[in-house]
Amino acid sequence: MSLLIDADYIVYKACAGAEIDIDWGDDVIFVSSRFSEAYRAVERELYKIATDLGCFDDSILFFSDSVNFRKSIDPTYKGHRNRKKPCGYKRVINKLKEEYHVVVMPTLEADDAMGIYATKEQGHIICSPDKDMRQIPGELYDLSDGVVTITEEEGKRWHFVQTLAGDQTDGYGGVPGFGIKRAYSFFEENGYTWDAVLKAFASKDLDESTALQNARLAKILQHSDYDFTNQCVKLWTPTSNS
């Protein structure tokens, strides 16, 4: 068993927490941090995860690539996230690469790489606070509330729910006026099908191409969604039993 850990989140939080603002006056504010403090914070978080799950032998840390395939689907994806990484972010990652098994897959976000690893072979635990990971069948540890088991059917349903609800943090809107609760209610009435997704978008005068774009942005990849030979994504397409 391996722990598949969303290290993007952990390192960002640790480095941001180690930043210090120094006001030099005369309109100058200097931002600095201590590398050792940030790195210790990451190690504490990794140790806590291992302790909670009783697994100290095999942790894999996942980071997002600097190129994101979702930009080819929608160039505005995460376009509002223009804040620079906190001080020491790259240095901490480089140090982790010396001491841990680190995975960065070309054009993929950490979420997608974890989804691919988790579904390529069974027995791993995904460790991430991101609700997106509820799409991936298997065991999920959200870093606070323990391990839950996601079935394949629950994962498919969560993908459709997120397609309607959108994700303002990631910059795709879904169906205007739909949140998670309304999406659930809609699917309970209409069934968890692609036809129901289209019906929801059509209710706001949005066409199938808009629905498909949102579904592809929302989709967290599994091993069947990735071409390992050519290292490229197979974009999600609805099927007759979707």
Side-chain angles (χ1 to χ4, degrees):
M1 177 185 73
S2 296
L3 304 182
L4 312 181
I5 300 175
D6 181 357
D8 267 345
Y9 167 79
I10 292 172
V11 172
Y12 191 100
K13 183 176 71 171
C15 290
E19 282 189 342
I20 302 171
D21 292 346
I22 303 174
D23 190 344
W24 291 96
D26 295 327
D27 202 33
V28 177
I29 298 175
F30 182 76
V31 180
S32 67
S33 69
R34 289 184 180 275
F35 166 78
S36 58
E37 180 181 339
Y39 196 77
R40 281 197 300 269
V42 172
E43 288 192 309
R44 284 196 300 270
E45 188 67 26
L46 295 177
Y47 182 78
K48 178 182 181 299
I49 293 171
T51 301
D52 287 350
L53 299 177
C55 180
F56 293 89
D57 297 329
D58 194 4
S59 295
I60 306 177
L61 311 186
F62 290 81
F63 291 95
S64 299
D65 190 27
S66 58
V67 178
N68 192 325
F69 81 93
R70 288 182 176 83
K71 291 282 190 179
S72 66
I73 301 171
D74 180 4
T76 68
Y77 179 75
K78 288 189 175 179
H80 61 293
R81 289 192 181 187
N82 53 12
R83 185 185 185 279
K84 73 173 186 65
K85 300 294 187 184
C87 289
Y89 184 82
K90 289 185 179 179
R91 183 177 173 185
V92 168
I93 293 176
N94 288 335
K95 179 64 174 176
L96 288 170
K97 287 179 178 179
E98 297 175 6
E99 301 188 8
Y100 292 88
H101 182 181
V102 170
V103 170
V104 181
M105 294 183 68
T107 77
L108 303 188
E109 297 181 56
D111 291 354
D112 299 302
M114 287 189 292
I116 289 170
Y117 267 65
T119 54
K120 190 174 182 181
E121 58 182 29
Q122 297 181 346
H124 302 311
I125 300 177
I126 292 176
C127 305
S128 171
D130 195 330
K131 65 183 186 301
D132 293 352
M133 302 314 297
R134 298 186 71 86
Q135 292 184 30
I136 304 301
E139 293 189 302
L140 171 65
Y141 174 61
D142 70 359
L143 308 190
S144 60
D145 294 329
V147 177
V148 297
T149 300
I150 310 297
T151 68
E152 185 173 354
E153 183 62 27
E154 287 170 339
K156 289 179 179 178
R157 290 184 174 191
W158 187 247
H159 172 222
F160 277 178
V161 166
Q162 288 192 287
T163 298
L164 297 199
D167 190 328
Q168 298 304 319
T169 301
D170 287 342
Y172 65 95
V175 180
F178 274 70
I180 296 295
K181 289 184 178 180
R182 185 173 178 186
Y184 266 124
S185 297
F186 181 85
F187 283 123
E188 289 301 315
E189 293 178 6
N190 295 276
Y192 288 83
T193 66
W194 181 244
D195 284 342
V197 172
L198 296 180
K199 180 179 178 180
F201 277 88
S203 72
K204 300 296 182 178
D205 296 323
L206 298 172
D207 61 17
E208 183 171 3
S209 65
T210 303
L212 183 58
Q213 181 185 67
N214 277 267
R216 286 174 168 174
L217 293 174
K219 174 67 173 175
I220 302 301
L221 303 183
Q222 300 184 30
H223 73 97
S224 59
D225 302 312
Y226 192 72
D227 181 340
F228 290 89
T229 301
N230 297 305
Q231 294 189 318
C232 62
V233 175
K234 303 174 187 177
L235 293 179
W236 183 85
T237 300
T239 60
S240 58
N241 59 356
S242 292

